[in-house]
Amino acid sequence: MIERALLMIILLRIFSGSVDITAALLMYKFNDLEKAFYINTLLALVGPCVLIITTAFALIGLSEKISLTRMICLFAGITLILISLKSN
């Protein structure tokens, strides 16, 4: 039997991949650089959201096995990744 947290992570990643493939197909269909840029910008919103949600599911599933200090370090690392994406 598969753990519930693992199943949620798998489903989220399948959803995220489907969104990426759909976006690529839309870019191909429209065949326009401006529209492709707009679609790509929308994808930039999906990625960090999926990262945060999948990490949260993983931490919930591992909450009995991981210390509080490690959880804080993981969230701090994710926060730094998101900050670095926004910085110039």
Side-chain angles (χ1 to χ4, degrees):
M1 182 101 183
I2 193 165
E3 291 181 39
R4 186 178 187 140
L6 178 58
L7 180 62
M8 293 304 295
I9 291 170
I10 292 168
L11 291 174
L12 256 167
R13 285 297 171 187
I14 290 171
F15 170 74
S16 176
S18 299
V19 169
D20 284 342
I21 291 171
T22 302
L25 292 172
L26 286 171
M27 289 177 197
Y28 180 75
K29 178 185 175 189
F30 292 132
N31 194 21
D32 180 15
L33 184 58
E34 279 187 46
K35 289 180 183 174
F37 180 72
Y38 180 73
I39 292 169
N40 193 57
T41 303
L42 291 175
L43 283 177
L45 298 173
V46 174
C49 293
V50 171
L51 172 68
I52 292 168
I53 294 168
T54 56
T55 303
F57 280 129
L59 287 177
I60 290 167
L62 294 171
S63 62
E64 298 172 357
K65 300 176 187 176
I66 292 182
S67 68
L68 180 62
T69 305
R70 283 184 132 182
M71 282 190 204
I72 292 170
C73 288
L74 283 169
F75 275 116
I78 292 169
T79 303
L80 289 173
I81 290 170
L82 294 174
I83 290 170
S84 70
L85 290 174
K86 299 246 183 207
S87 67
N88 291 329

